[in-house]
Amino acid sequence: MPHATPLIATIVGGLTLAFIFGAVAQRLRIPPLVGYLMAGVAAGPFTPGYVADQHLANELAELGVILLMFGVGLHFSVRDLMAVRKIAIPGAVTQIAVATLMGMGLAALLGWSLAGGIVFGLALSVASTVVLLRALQERKILDTERGKIAVGWLIVEDLAMVLALVLLPALAQGGSGGGSAIWAVLALTVGKVIAFIAFMMIVGRRVIPWALHYVAHTGSRELFRLAVLAIALGVAFGAAMLFGVSFALGAFFAGMILAESPLSQRAANETLPLRDAFAVLFFVSVGMLFNPHVVTDEPLPLLGTVAIIIVGKSIAALAIVMAFRHSAATALTIAASLAQIGEFSFILATMGHELKLIPAVARDLILAGAIISILLNPLIFAIVGRYGRKWMPEKVTDEAAPPPPPRGHVVLIGYGRVGSLVGRKLLEAGEQVTIIEAQPDATGLPEHPNATVLIGNACEASPLDQARLEKARLLCIAIAEGFEVGQIVERARKANPAIRIIARAQDEAEVEHFSKMGADVAITGEREIARSMVDYAFKPR
């Protein structure tokens, strides 16, 4: 057995260090992405100890980029973008332009070229998809108006960065030949991109869904997973070899076309483990490029970089959203969401340095700015959440003194995907329903004569007191937070020993916990599916 195994050593070392640093980051309530980057720093040439093979790490990172961009395309939603297009498209384009100009200004002060300033500014202008979505999900605002605007804004940023990745090689090739050479190379590149898009729209749109459906009907899960990976990697490689466009664009279009298929969700689920693994290796390889000495060697440029990301971008986004006459709460949420940079910034920084458009110090400043902004992003959200409540739009005319619900009413906590279904059925049955919802701009809150909507956290005493639990006959808890549900059940049982309590549970452990707290019934999705299947099995034909 050979002792020199650089490929295996790089994969094992990268994933092991990523796990260790990611677990530490998670324990410290820091996004694991920071841990993956720090794992790369530890395995890089600028720190003592183990040094991974840089060349192999870059090759693995290319696979990570392909699968990362395939995932972006797979989750690209034209419907979501169109729903918020009036604010997301002009807002994102304007914010990218403002951030790019600020980055170009800092680059000019540091003596970099115009092309380098453009790449540097673009890298600072785009937020991390991973960080933004996780922040919205943790705060339960992904399905609100604010969350949808933030996601639509992010989609536009991603599309702009895909275009930038296509044009960067053209900018590098034409830079030495003057203005006419740049325009000639750009025209050739745009022509190749148009040819590739036309091919994908005419041929790929028919062949890819057909191939996937054919494999799905074989019944082989293994073959289906292999087909999805072959489509992602094959289209990306073919786009680069046949049309001269980037791996990133090819993978993005493969995912976007596959997203139109009814099998897109299954494709996303089947490839998620491998996409995650190679995305982690991508972040580790990026961390290996980072020279931590930039923090002490270039403190003022680093301060300027962080200021552009956190202050400049946020103020620009805040002003843009307010100019479109959205609430201050929405503007603050968008501003906080965009106050960080991530994966597209890493791709731009790496490609820009490889093409000799930006110096190594620019790449280090981008990476340092990303790490710092991601670390500070939870704090920024906490500040916005604390001081932004005064601007939250109200859903009731007088929250301090809502109309008292009649005796025997139903209290429903949470009006998300599950709660909204429960609420509609209760209202259709003629029940008097008091709804407690944490997010004031949650979509679909009912405007019904039998519905009373209270805005607030049900774990706090005020919303539960306003809901008059002591007079209610039934409490339905439709939120999926086990710790909070247990608190609510315990408090409700003390307020009204006779009330019936139905709680939503994620697993059998939560069922047991809620029962101990005082719930009459705790329901899991798996149990209800099994019950329905058994009922149907014994139903007479």
Side-chain angles (χ1 to χ4, degrees), residues 57 83 106 109 176 206 232 273 287 297 309 319 324 326 412 437 439 442 489 502 514:
L106 179 57
L109 291 175
S176 59
R206 291 176 171 83
D297 295 344
I309 297 169
F324 278 83
H326 284 268
L412 172 62
E437 170 58 44
Q439 299 302 329
V489 170
I502 304 174
F514 299 159

Side-chain angles (χ1 to χ4, degrees), residues 192-193 195-196 199 234-247:
K192 291 179 178 178
V193 171
F196 169 70
F199 176 81
V235 172
F237 188 77
M241 295 299 105
L242 300 178
F243 294 91
V245 300
S246 66
F247 288 136

Side-chain angles (χ1 to χ4, degrees), residues 212-298:
L212 204 62
H213 279 268
Y214 173 80
V215 173
H217 283 102
T218 65
S220 172
R221 183 175 182 178
E222 178 182 339
L223 197 60
F224 181 84
R225 187 183 298 122
L226 188 61
V228 176
L229 292 174
I231 289 170
L233 298 174
V235 172
F237 188 77
M241 295 299 105
L242 300 178
F243 294 91
V245 300
S246 66
F247 288 136
L249 183 67
F252 175 79
F253 261 88
M256 192 171 68
I257 287 176
L258 201 55
E260 298 178 2
S261 168
L263 296 169
S264 61
Q265 187 60 47
R266 181 181 171 190
N269 293 337
E270 292 290 345
T271 58
L272 185 60
L274 192 63
R275 283 192 287 129
D276 283 348
F278 276 97
V280 167
L281 288 175
F282 164 70
F283 293 126
V284 171
S285 70
V286 169
M288 290 174 63
L289 300 173
F290 175 58
N291 183 357
H293 294 104
V294 72
V295 177
T296 55
D297 295 344
E298 304 288 344

Side-chain angles (χ1 to χ4, degrees), residues 65 76 83 92 104 116 125 131 135 175 180 199 223 231 262 269 289 298 329 349 368 401 415 452 461 527 533:
V65 170
F76 176 78
M104 290 172 63
S125 70
V131 175
S180 59
F199 176 81
L223 197 60
I231 289 170
N269 293 337
L289 300 173
E298 304 288 344
Y415 210 77
T452 301
R527 182 182 292 179
M533 292 178 72

